[in-house]
Amino acid sequence: MENSYSKVSFLLAASLSFLSANSLAADLSLHKAHSFGNYFYTTDVTDMLNAKAAGYEYRGVAVKLVSQGDNDADKPFYRLYNKDSGVTGTHFYTTDINEALNSKSLGYEYQRTEGYTVKSGAKKIYRAYSATTDKYYYTTDTTEMLNLVASGNYSYQKTEGYGK
């Protein structure tokens, strides 16, 4: 019996030696929630549960990002927050480090990096902004972005990168 465990252990170790840490990296679901015109996105399930407890309505997975060590990882997806903007504050997300640093002068504080966009270009992550509410909206759905802009409430700002 001990001999069969040794063989299994050896085969398992040999199999794993061919796998890199990158091939074991999991996709990160970027969850979306909404409250008082503020959209909140996070890859952290605990953050999302806390947002739901604070009154946010869960809206599902917006897109999938990857972890830093993934072979397809491109740009970090930074999450910033301005507690003084609106009733619930405003979350702001960007892949541009200079934009993230400059947002500090507008009252934003860095919270975390949610994950990384991908090089493979599967789904564009569009960003829109409402000057009326001082809120941002992110989507991978081209039609949704066009309808949002056509409503007159938001203006298209840029593509943040790509997700899965």
Side-chain angles (χ1 to χ4, degrees):
M1 189 74 159
E2 183 178 325
N3 193 17
S4 66
Y5 285 130
S6 296
K7 287 180 184 176
V8 169
S9 297
F10 174 77
L11 289 173
L12 182 60
S15 297
L16 289 175
S17 70
F18 290 106
L19 298 174
S20 69
N22 291 341
S23 65
L24 296 174
D27 292 345
L28 303 170
S29 295
L30 186 67
H31 301 278
K32 176 181 178 179
H34 175 263
S35 178
F36 295 104
N38 189 28
Y39 287 90
F40 175 62
Y41 303 82
T42 185
T43 55
D44 186 302
V45 174
T46 302
D47 276 357
M48 185 52 65
L49 291 173
N50 289 337
K52 283 184 68 178
Y56 278 79
E57 178 188 334
Y58 183 70
R59 297 279 178 95
V61 175
V63 70
K64 293 199 183 235
L65 301 174
V66 296
S67 57
Q68 182 177 16
D70 192 291
N71 286 333
D72 200 21
D74 191 20
K75 301 179 215 167
F77 196 71
Y78 303 110
R79 180 175 95 197
L80 301 106
Y81 180 66
N82 182 341
K83 65 179 174 50
D84 298 323
S85 175
V87 177
T88 59
T90 297
H91 284 93
F92 172 62
Y93 304 81
T94 184
T95 55
D96 182 334
I97 186 65
N98 291 320
E99 193 173 47
L101 293 170
N102 291 335
S103 71
K104 187 168 179 68
S105 68
L106 301 173
Y108 286 89
E109 294 293 327
Y110 171 82
Q111 287 189 313
R112 61 178 276 144
T113 298
E114 290 297 342
Y116 288 74
T117 58
V118 297
K119 297 174 200 169
S120 59
K123 293 180 180 179
K124 284 184 178 181
I125 303 170
Y126 302 107
R127 182 175 89 197
Y129 174 71
S130 171
T132 306
T133 62
D134 192 25
K135 304 293 182 197
Y136 293 89
Y137 189 82
Y138 301 80
T139 185
T140 59
D141 186 325
T142 305
T143 302
E144 183 179 32
M145 178 55 68
L146 291 171
N147 289 336
L148 196 64
V149 171
S151 75
N153 296 324
Y154 281 83
S155 59
Y156 170 79
Q157 285 195 317
K158 67 185 257 187
T159 299
E160 286 295 345
Y162 297 90
K164 291 183 172 185

